[in-house]
Amino acid sequence: MNVVVVESPSKAKTINKYLGPGYTVLASFGHVRDLPAKDGSVRPDEDFEMSWEVDTASAKRIKDIADAMKSSDGLILATDPDREGEAISWHVLDVLNKKKAIGGKPVKRVVFNAITKSAVLDAMKHPRDIDIALVDAYLARRALDYLVGFNLSPVLWRKLPGARSAGRVQSVALRLVCDREAEIERFVSEEYWNLSAILKTPRGDEFEARLVSAEGKRLTPKAIGNAEEANRLKALLDGASYRVESVEAKPTKRNPAPPFTTSTLQQAASSKLGFSASRTMQVAQKLYEGIDIGGETVGLITYMRTDGVQMAPEAIDAARRAVASQFGERYVPEKPRLYSTKAKNAQEAHEAIRPTSFDRTPDEVRRFLDADQLKLYDLVWKRGIASQMASAEIERTTVEIEADNGGRKAGVRATGSVIRFDGFIAAYTDQKEDGEQSDDGDDDGRLPEINAQEKLDKQKVNATQHFTEPPPRYSEATLIKKMEELGIGRPSTYAATLATLRDREYITIDKRKLIPEAKGRLVTAFLESFFTRYVEYDFTADLEEKLDKISAGELDWKQVLRDFWKDFFAQIEDTKELRVTNVLDALNEELAPLVFPKREDGSDPRICQVCGTGKLSLKLGKFGAFIGCSNYPECRSTRQLAVAGEDSAPGEGGEDGAKLGADGVRVLGKDPETGLDVTLRSGRFGVYVQLGEGEGKEKPKRSSLPKGWEAATLDLDRALALLALPREVGAHPEDGKPIQAGLGRYGPFVLHDGKYANLDSIDEVFSVGINRAVSVLAEKQARGPRAGRAGAEPLKTLGDHPTLGGPVTVHAGRYGPYVKHGAVNATIPKGTAPEAVSMETAVALIAERAGKTPVKAPRAARKATGEDGAAKKAPAKKAAAKSTTAKASTAKAATARKAPTKKAPAKKAAEA
């Protein structure tokens, strides 16, 4: 009998079925140990020696593995096929060796890219040793993140009150978001005009042609800059006769995109499905680990953390056979398509994300998947099979037309394209809402029959005014794409990076757009001013490249750390001489557009409007930064920081307003049932859709846009789906009463017999079936009215608090999931699944909550510390103060006011 170790219990269950009775498959539940969240876990003075700690829950799992080893013939480490998976195997083996649980028995490492029976059994035939180069790269990355977090974060706490922490990759990602916001603030809109003519052929067909030249001068886009010039050219076109100079039809081809990588999957799921990066990875993990397909549990997709775009040869052959079977031989290209990535620093160590079997079409597995799983599998399957299909053949037609007004001449042009052979586009034709048609299909519309030298009749000339728009804010998808282009981070880190920025309240997400909070702008400005090198894009990308070279065995990991630490430590030491005035001067200059926006009357934005003589400046208080007057205390004028660019009115540059007409209304189309217009409107309480105009006192049907839906991308189908809510899901199997799904004040819900239960997302309102609805209602009833209160059973026990002691647990509460430690309850941020919460995340949430809400400390803790400020903020290296510091932490808010002085805060872990 052999013991096999994998990460998750669901993966263990699936693999156990494949291997049979000769194996015992156990789950490690991810990493079994980590660096303790305290000083000294990585010691540069000892050549970067590292101390590891096994938490309580992991200790039990290690014991289970060690007990199983007593009667086993050997150990097989089968964790994920990437750097993190290699590290988990190394940790498990190291802990078992220290417990002397191996006893000379053989230890092997196996990897498989897909959890199917054939892939797993084949991997078992080809074992290897642990790849030490991959482990070294993991150790280097973990040490770098620890050293940056534990040394840079305290600088922030001392010099920039209110800032939480800083980290190696997250700080650079935050800079990208803040730089884009600053670019938007600096943007100056410019006027331009477009002119076009509606023309009619001799056969009576109308088409539109746009102005491209006038009076012998070629017009570039946005060349017409004012109404006077536009009206002059409009008069020329109004009085002109029109003749076709040439008609040219050119055949072109469009090739399919490669299969998904982690990054491109997250981007596609965000833009087409509205999934966050973390949600995409959660659903992909389930599809990878295995779904019960008619009594057989099988992984539906390959490993989902990869930057490779190539498929295995056998998968390419299978895809080509599936194309021939489902679309016809003409859709199979002459040669297999091979791809290479364009992303900077891509490793391409693994296959792209693809279906494990192209014969399992989305329709065939539909009944086994929930709504989100089906949507994501559908994306992966179509992208995978399309990647091995023939090119689309498109004929693009360009018509050049001369406009002659008494010798004053202009040129207008009409373009159109026709798909002569759809090729790979056929894979997407039943899902046009995916956006594939707009990317790869008929962009310009089809032109009527037009012949050279024939005359055309002018019907109308249009002159439309436009204004240039600032670059859009990043979405999760576009930020991930930018990070990948720059070589910042790795596929496995993108979702965690974005989650960290949200959890620290450095950014907010509004209608899928990432908006930096004032706190995030301050942190970025501080780092750019005093730690410039460490938030530079090239520096971070070069460091990622060095980590990749460590993976390949080309660099010594400790030498990389030595080189980094030498300069970084010197920079940290230099900040000790920084005065608050130095920090404020730098921030005032860096954040001037945010802190001191221009005034309408043109006066100096830094002059205090209360006293008229003082100068406004950033001030740093214990609760963060604010703006105050230099004449304090005589003038007590203060105001909070606020992110600019919000509350734009329709037509004034707001993201929604820019998409609406001058009257704040945009027609999306007509309701096929009533024939009434479906419109998008901006009102007092935000953007909404409306059906018709109403008659007399009867109000028209309306629906607000759900959170996360963008007005700019809303189409008629989605608007009609909103207006059709609530929808009937079906009859409850027990009493026959109807179950409805709808969108209410507190979000998406299902309703049965007057009882409500929340759904996970707005998308589920439109897709939830009767089985899921009954299950959600039953779970809500089972929890009862007191669900989530102190006495409720925890969903998950994380183990003992690493510094304070006592259990940390995860609960389902009345107002959402939360983590609990002692008397402190901390809400889990939206978008984070309760089962995905780690001890590190829980500790950070609990610490933040304890700092916001006064909590009475135990009497023993109050006696031991005297005053909490002194105990909590004692340097972490003083072992004597450790226990009293731990016990007093929850009393921070209640006792901080008593402390006569503030000492330097103990260092904390920032991030991975």
Side-chain angles (χ1 to χ4, degrees):
M1 190 270 292
N2 284 294
V3 173
V4 180
V5 176
V6 296
E7 293 95 338
S8 72
S10 57
K11 187 175 175 181
K13 182 179 178 182
T14 304
I15 292 173
N16 200 51
K17 289 181 180 179
Y18 295 157
L19 297 180
Y23 297 86
T24 298
V25 186
L26 300 173
S28 71
F29 288 79
H31 278 284
V32 295
R33 64 182 184 180
D34 200 359
L35 297 171
K38 61 184 180 182
D39 277 337
S41 295
V42 178
R43 299 180 291 283
D45 293 342
E46 299 176 28
D47 202 20
F48 303 96
E49 283 298 310
M50 304 166 77
S51 298
W52 301 98
E53 182 177 76
V54 179
D55 62 44
T56 305
S58 295
K60 182 181 183 305
R61 289 161 195 145
I62 286 292
K63 183 179 183 302
D64 292 342
I65 297 171
D67 289 344
M69 284 297 299
K70 294 176 182 177
S71 56
S72 76
D73 298 320
L75 175 66
I76 299 173
L77 300 165
T79 48
D80 286 342
D82 60 3
R83 184 160 47 200
E84 208 69 19
E86 207 73 20
I88 292 172
S89 287
W90 175 79
H91 276 300
V92 169
L93 180 59
D94 194 49
V95 175
L96 291 175
N97 277 328
K98 288 178 178 177
K99 293 173 71 71
K100 298 182 179 179
I102 302 297
K105 296 175 181 178
V107 177
K108 291 297 178 182
R109 171 87 169 105
V110 300
V111 293
F112 33 80
N113 195 46
I115 302 181
T116 61
K117 188 170 185 178
S118 59
V120 171
L121 294 180
D122 184 64
M124 290 294 177
K125 295 175 184 176
H126 302 90
R128 60 169 172 81
D129 294 328
I130 287 178
D131 188 331
I132 296 302
L134 283 180
V135 175
D136 287 348
Y138 158 80
L139 293 173
R141 180 183 294 274
R142 193 68 190 89
L144 282 170
D145 291 340
Y146 174 94
L147 291 170
V148 171
F150 269 79
N151 290 279
L152 188 52
S153 296
V155 173
L156 276 178
W157 300 337
R158 289 192 296 268
K159 307 299 181 183
L160 198 65
R164 293 181 62 181
S165 56
R168 187 176 62 85
V169 175
Q170 286 87 342
S171 295
V172 182
L174 178 60
R175 182 192 167 188
L176 279 169
V177 177
C178 293
D179 282 358
R180 176 57 57 88
E181 196 70 20
E183 193 178 350
I184 293 170
E185 290 165 352
R186 291 191 301 268
F187 181 81
V188 178
S189 184
E190 296 180 357
E191 177 186 10
Y192 69 97
W193 291 72
N194 285 337
L195 275 76
S196 63
I198 306 298
L199 305 174
K200 181 187 287 187
T201 69
R203 289 156 295 283
D205 298 314
E206 291 187 358
F207 65 96
E208 185 175 21
R210 58 187 176 84
L211 180 67
V212 294
S213 65
E215 299 171 325
K217 181 181 178 182
R218 179 70 57 184
L219 297 176
T220 59
K222 305 180 180 66
I224 306 170
N226 55 64
E228 182 181 356
E229 178 70 5
N231 288 331
R232 187 180 70 80
L233 292 173
K234 183 176 185 298
L236 188 159
L237 295 179
D238 272 327
S241 59
Y242 294 81
R243 179 179 60 85
V244 178
E245 285 191 318
S246 65
V247 179
E248 184 179 21
K250 285 185 177 180
T252 62
K253 287 187 177 183
R254 292 200 176 183
N255 298 322
F260 283 127
T261 62
T262 303
S263 168
T264 54
L265 178 63
Q266 290 172 348
Q267 293 170 46
S270 174
S271 61
K272 298 172 185 178
L273 307 179
F275 288 3
S276 67
S278 58
R279 180 60 181 155
T280 299
M281 298 310 289
Q282 288 168 7
V283 177
Q285 184 84 33
K286 292 178 182 177
L287 293 175
Y288 164 69
E289 290 187 345
I291 301 290
D292 188 344
I293 305 292
E296 179 190 6
T297 301
V298 62
L300 294 184
I301 65 172
T302 54
Y303 191 54
M304 65 286 164
R305 291 185 178 89
T306 175
D307 52 16
V309 291
Q310 189 58 274
M311 294 197 297
E314 59 271 21
I316 293 176
D317 292 342
R320 288 168 62 84
R321 288 195 299 271
V323 170
S325 171
Q326 298 182 40
F327 299 94
E329 289 292 342
R330 189 184 174 191
Y331 288 84
V332 183
E334 183 179 346
K335 295 179 180 179
R337 293 188 180 276
L338 303 177
Y339 298 93
S340 60
T341 185
K342 296 179 181 179
K344 187 175 181 181
N345 295 346
Q347 298 177 77
E348 296 193 88
H350 309 297
E351 272 195 270
I353 304 168
R354 62 166 176 84
T356 53
S357 171
F358 284 100
D359 293 332
R360 292 194 195 94
T361 65
D363 283 341
E364 288 180 357
V365 298
R366 181 182 301 274
R367 64 185 186 277
F368 303 113
L369 305 178
D370 65 29
D372 285 356
Q373 290 169 352
L374 178 61
K375 289 175 184 176
L376 199 68
Y377 182 72
D378 187 68
L379 274 186
V380 172
W381 188 89
K382 287 180 176 176
R383 179 77 166 238
I385 200 164
S387 72
Q388 288 300 322
M389 292 177 71
S391 302
E393 297 173 6
I394 298 169
E395 184 179 84
R396 186 175 297 279
T397 303
T398 302
V399 182
E400 301 289 353
I401 302 163
E402 180 187 75
D404 190 342
N405 184 346
R408 295 175 62 210
K409 295 183 179 181
V412 295
R413 177 183 298 154
T415 57
S417 58
V418 178
I419 299 175
R420 296 302 184 189
F421 172 60
D422 55 358
F424 74 93
I425 298 174
Y428 302 102
T429 52
D430 66 332
Q431 197 180 31
K432 291 182 181 179
E433 68 272 18
D434 273 358
E436 294 294 341
Q437 195 71 18
S438 63
D439 290 340
D440 303 295
D442 186 353
D443 292 336
D444 302 321
R446 188 166 184 168
L447 291 173
E449 180 186 346
I450 304 172
N451 300 313
Q453 305 306 316
E454 69 182 6
K455 293 185 178 180
L456 304 168
D457 291 332
K458 181 208 72 178
Q459 302 300 299
K460 185 180 179 183
V461 174
N462 296 317
T464 54
Q465 183 187 36
H466 302 273
F467 293 90
T468 56
E469 296 184 359
R473 288 182 173 120
Y474 284 111
S475 64
E476 283 199 353
T478 56
L479 182 63
I480 287 170
K481 182 178 181 181
K482 186 65 176 178
M483 291 174 67
E484 185 181 42
E485 288 173 357
L486 294 172
I488 297 168
R490 278 292 171 263
S492 59
T493 67
Y494 295 139
T497 296
L498 291 166
T500 299
L501 294 179
R502 286 196 308 270
D503 294 346
R504 289 182 182 154
E505 299 176 348
Y506 286 164
I507 64 170
T508 57
I509 300 180
D510 183 25
K511 298 173 184 174
R512 296 197 204 171
K513 299 298 182 183
L514 307 184
I515 304 172
E517 293 279 22
K519 187 188 301 182
R521 300 284 298 269
L522 285 167
V523 168
T524 296
F526 177 84
L527 295 176
E528 283 188 299
S529 298
F530 302 105
F531 289 88
T532 308
R533 185 184 184 198
Y534 301 98
V535 287
E536 284 179 350
Y537 305 136
D538 288 345
F539 175 81
T540 306
D542 289 344
L543 200 52
E544 291 289 350
E545 189 171 0
K546 288 178 180 177
L547 291 170
D548 291 340
K549 287 184 177 180
I550 295 171
S551 296
E554 297 173 10
L555 283 179
D556 175 65
W557 70 282
K558 287 198 174 182
Q559 187 57 50
V560 171
L561 291 178
R562 292 182 199 112
D563 294 341
F564 174 86
W565 179 249
K566 179 182 176 182
D567 294 334
F568 182 67
F569 181 72
Q571 190 83 26
I572 292 289
E573 289 295 297
D574 287 346
T575 61
K576 291 180 179 179
E577 303 303 319
L578 267 181
R579 296 180 178 274
V580 173
T581 53
N582 302 137
V583 174
L584 291 178
D585 288 344
L587 296 183
N588 281 329
E589 182 177 351
E590 187 75 27
L591 295 175
L594 169 70
V595 181
F596 313 113
K598 291 181 179 179
R599 292 175 179 164
E600 291 183 5
D601 60 4
S603 61
D604 186 348
R606 293 196 64 176
I607 295 299
C608 177
Q609 291 186 307
V610 175
C611 68
T613 60
K615 195 170 185 179
L616 297 178
S617 174
L618 273 171
K619 307 288 184 183
L620 299 177
K622 63 179 180 179
F623 299 113
F626 63 95
I627 301 165
C629 179
S630 61
N631 285 340
Y632 178 88
E634 287 78 14
C635 178
R636 295 181 175 269
S637 171
T638 61
R639 61 182 169 87
Q640 294 297 314
L641 281 174
V643 176
E646 298 177 354
D647 302 322
S648 297
E652 295 181 352
E655 289 178 18
D656 298 327
K659 302 297 180 182
L660 303 180
D663 56 353
V665 176
R666 174 158 65 93
V667 178
L668 298 173
K670 290 187 180 293
D671 178 10
E673 292 188 10
T674 64
L676 297 175
D677 281 343
V678 177
T679 53
L680 180 71
R681 300 170 181 243
S682 182
R684 251 192 338 166
F685 304 106
V687 181
Y688 62 94
V689 291
Q690 177 173 306
L691 178 63
E693 296 295 336
E695 296 181 4
K697 294 183 178 180
E698 182 181 350
K699 292 184 177 180
K701 187 164 188 179
R702 296 171 175 168
S703 178
S704 297
L705 259 62
K707 186 175 182 180
W709 283 32
E710 294 184 67
T713 58
L714 187 72
D715 57 21
L716 178 62
D717 290 341
R718 298 178 84 199
L720 288 171
L722 271 181
L723 291 166
L725 295 178
R727 73 176 184 90
E728 188 163 319
V729 178
H732 198 290
E734 292 183 2
D735 57 19
K737 294 182 180 179
I739 298 177
Q740 290 184 321
L743 181 65
R745 182 178 178 185
Y746 301 107
F749 65 84
V750 287
L751 169 66
H752 168 251
D753 197 20
K755 296 181 176 61
Y756 290 83
N758 291 335
L759 293 171
D760 291 339
S761 68
I762 178 60
D763 291 338
E764 200 171 3
V765 171
F766 307 110
S767 60
V768 64
I770 190 66
N771 291 339
R772 165 71 173 154
V774 170
S775 174
V776 170
L777 288 161
E779 289 171 4
K780 173 71 180 294
Q781 184 177 7
R783 289 196 298 268
R786 297 182 59 84
R789 297 188 182 180
E793 286 295 318
L795 298 175
K796 181 180 179 183
T797 299
L798 300 176
D800 287 343
H801 196 291
T803 55
L804 308 182
V808 178
T809 51
V810 181
H811 296 259
R814 182 178 180 184
Y815 303 105
Y818 63 94
V819 292
K820 180 179 180 65
H821 175 252
V824 180
N825 296 341
T827 303
I828 296 172
K830 286 184 179 179
T832 302
E835 61 272 15
V837 175
S838 66
M839 175 64 83
E840 183 181 3
T841 301
V843 167
L845 291 171
I846 289 163
E848 182 181 10
R849 182 61 182 169
K852 288 181 177 179
T853 306
V855 180
K856 189 174 181 180
R859 186 172 182 182
R862 294 198 300 275
K863 277 186 176 181
T865 61
E867 49 189 24
D868 179 69
K872 174 149 180 67
K873 307 224 170 176
K877 291 181 180 178
K878 294 185 180 179
K882 181 176 178 181
S883 61
T884 55
T885 301
K887 293 180 180 179
S889 65
T890 56
K892 175 182 177 183
T895 59
R897 290 188 295 273
K898 299 178 184 178
T901 59
K902 279 192 175 285
K903 297 187 180 180
K907 297 178 181 179
K908 298 180 182 177
E911 61 202 44

